Amino acid sequence: MTQLSQFVSGMDESVTLAAAARAKALKAEGRDIIDLTLGQPDFVTPKAIQNAAVAAITDGKASFYTVSSGLPELKTAFAGYFERYYGYKPAANEILVTTGAKFALYAYFLAVLDPGDEVIIPAPYWVSYVDQVKMASGVPVIVETTQAADFKVTVDQLEAAKTARTKVLLLNSPSNPTGMIYSREELSAIGDWAVANDLEILADDIYHRLVYNGAAFTAISSLSDTIRTHTTVINGTSKTFAMTGWRIGIAVGSPEIIAAMGKISSQTTSNAAAASQYAAIQAFSGDDKDFHEMQQAFEERLNTIYPLLAEIPGFEVVKPQGAFYLFPKVTQALTATGYTNVTDFANALLEEANVATVTGEGFGSSENIRLSYATDLESLKTAVARIKKFVIEKSKH
Ligand code: PMP
Ligand code: GLU
């Protein structure tokens, strides 16, 4: 048998992608599965964006490599767009276009971490952070938050986690999987703490516009010039423009870090797909109509489905303010139904209730499961009804 590398042997497959693949395979076998695994908008990419890519293909412009760090005209369009939400305009050498935000994160870790450097990651966290840090020879330092504290980390907790090797603090607001948003005051305190300790901040803002019911996103990098110089922002087109398949990520940071990340993309991916970059120019310069329709649909789904989920015996849910996930704590339901861990519970929901969710274990939580509400309302209602029936019936035995 082939001896695989230590590098790959030390990493796990993405649990979200694995859960989605399993749901897809069962559906292909003819099972009536409702798939709430993947965090990707169920909307098709808006027509104007699609057309921009088609034009680039038929004009021949999409046939060629682009500048590795991204098309200059895409950087210009993005800088204007970014300024609307962040209040400052990055220069071209402060912007890197990547093959998805996921790769931007990995390039960042490779660019800033030496072996043994620590990255503080508040839990629950998005699945890929921990493995990516390890893949870059760094050490993930997990700081547990509680549902009672809305899954937010405090400066005291960060102070307790800090060591001489701490290099980076990772923040993801709105959060995948909890949907929580840090307030301006919370971010100011955390940002000032990071600056005082000379740490780098990695702000994964990919859900920045997906906020609901009047909640507001604050960008930590906008809070002060000093915080900004310590921060690298990760963003992209996947969530805001329903473009997960196009693979466009964008990083904004100091020219030094951006150039270092750029070296990594130039030696690995060369450039993000040219047709996708032309599509992204349109996404960043077009109007907001399609986005607002999508946002309203997510908000309606959240407001409809959240109370129904909260009604399930043994489910405790904090109402999310952003992103498109619900992350119920199911410990009481586990006890009532006789399951000993959330992974077995999520598997049983798939096998017996025909609802695919993701175990909280992949997000650093042994108490929760994650449901994506980026799917149509009827399917969501049916899925929650199936879960409720499953819990009630199992609890009788
Ligand atoms: N960060 C978070 C928090 C995410 O949920 C995702 C999910 N796709 C990503 C980054 C990566 O996004 P993408 O690679 O599609 O741009
Ligand atoms: N970010 C999405 C999720 O959490 C997509 C899957 C992935 O990139 O891991 O479901």
Side-chain angles (χ1 to χ4, degrees):
M1 217 173 82
T2 311
Q3 179 74 47
L4 296 174
S5 70
Q6 289 179 14
F7 176 80
V8 82
S9 304
M11 65 192 269
D12 288 319
E13 187 185 359
S14 159
V15 291
T16 43
L17 298 185
R22 171 116 183 89
K24 253 203 173 103
L26 290 177
K27 273 181 149 176
E29 284 171 17
R31 289 264 305 271
D32 166 30
I33 303 288
I34 300 179
D35 182 2
L36 308 184
T37 56
L38 259 198
Q40 71 170 336
D42 52 319
F43 300 95
V44 169
T45 308
K47 261 276 168 293
I49 300 176
Q50 292 182 20
N51 289 342
V54 171
I57 292 167
T58 49
D59 291 353
K61 288 194 295 190
S63 307
F64 305 103
Y65 292 126
T66 71
V67 179
S68 174
S69 63
L71 287 167
E73 47 285 41
L74 171 53
K75 291 187 189 174
T76 304
F78 177 74
Y81 170 89
F82 185 89
E83 189 181 22
R84 273 203 268 154
Y85 299 99
Y86 286 73
Y88 64 93
K89 193 168 188 166
N93 65 353
E94 295 173 318
I95 300 171
L96 178 71
V97 180
T98 58
T99 302
K102 195 183 255 183
F103 187 77
L105 288 161
Y106 184 42
Y108 174 88
F109 294 131
L110 289 173
V112 303
L113 298 179
D114 275 323
D117 281 345
E118 294 175 1
V119 179
I120 296 182
I121 305 177
Y125 47 74
W126 178 52
V127 290
S128 293
Y129 299 141
V130 168
D131 276 282
Q132 287 200 353
V133 167
K134 290 186 195 159
M135 286 156 66
S137 305
V139 178
V141 174
I142 308 302
V143 176
E144 305 281 347
T145 65
T146 61
Q147 188 150 329
D150 286 346
F151 298 111
K152 293 189 209 176
V153 79
T154 63
V155 168
D156 286 346
Q157 286 179 296
L158 295 173
E159 186 60 36
K162 191 192 70 180
T163 74
R165 292 306 306 266
T166 308
K167 182 87 190 269
V168 177
L169 165 66
L170 190 157
L171 289 173
N172 172 218
S173 169
S175 153
N176 175 2
T178 69
M180 291 300 129
I181 300 178
Y182 283 86
S183 69
R184 176 172 291 271
E185 293 68 33
E186 290 161 344
L187 288 175
S188 280
I190 292 173
D192 289 344
W193 173 84
V195 168
N197 288 286
D198 203 20
L199 303 183
E200 293 295 327
I201 300 169
L202 177 59
D204 182 349
D205 294 351
I206 192 126
Y207 296 99
H208 76 125
R209 293 182 65 195
L210 288 166
V211 298
Y212 314 112
N213 300 310
F217 162 78
T218 301
I220 191 166
S221 60
S222 306
L223 291 177
S224 73
D225 287 346
T226 26
I227 294 177
R228 177 183 164 185
T229 56
H230 281 76
T231 304
T232 304
V233 174
I234 303 295
N235 218 309
T237 56
S238 282
K239 315 293 169 172
T240 311
F241 301 106
M243 288 177 69
T244 50
W246 300 76
R247 313 308 301 128
I248 293 289
I250 311 245
V252 176
S254 68
E256 194 188 5
I257 291 183
I258 290 300
M261 292 169 66
K263 254 200 253 181
I264 288 155
S265 358
S266 81
Q267 293 284 26
T268 50
T269 59
S270 295
N271 58 263
S276 299
Q277 292 194 55
Y278 285 103
I281 295 173
Q282 174 60 36
F284 292 130
S285 24
D287 65 35
D288 282 342
K289 195 175 144 284
D290 294 306
F291 170 76
H292 284 307
E293 278 173 22
M294 218 167 56
Q295 185 192 33
Q296 270 165 18
F298 287 137
E299 185 175 282
E300 187 195 353
R301 293 168 187 180
L302 169 64
N303 291 342
T304 309
I305 222 67
Y306 163 77
L308 300 177
L309 195 72
E311 255 176 24
I312 298 178
F315 275 44
E316 296 165 65
V317 207
V318 183
K319 188 169 184 186
Q321 301 163 295
F324 33 58
Y325 309 100
L326 288 152
F327 199 58
K329 179 172 166 181
V330 296
T331 41
Q332 288 177 34
L334 285 188
T335 316
T337 53
Y339 290 94
T340 50
N341 64 70
V342 283
T343 303
D344 288 351
F345 184 73
N347 284 338
L349 286 178
L350 178 62
E351 295 303 335
E352 296 178 43
N354 287 335
V355 180
T357 60
V358 187
T359 169
E361 295 288 357
F363 305 91
S365 164
S366 57
E367 300 186 324
N368 302 65
I369 58 170
R370 192 191 78 172
L371 295 78
S372 161
Y373 56 87
T375 195
D376 68 278
L377 202 45
E378 280 318 303
S379 300
L380 284 167
K381 285 187 197 160
T382 310
V384 174
R386 286 182 186 179
I387 298 173
K388 186 174 182 180
K389 183 163 173 268
F390 171 85
V391 171
I392 291 172
E393 283 181 359
K394 284 270 166 177
S395 302
K396 288 183 193 150
H397 299 299

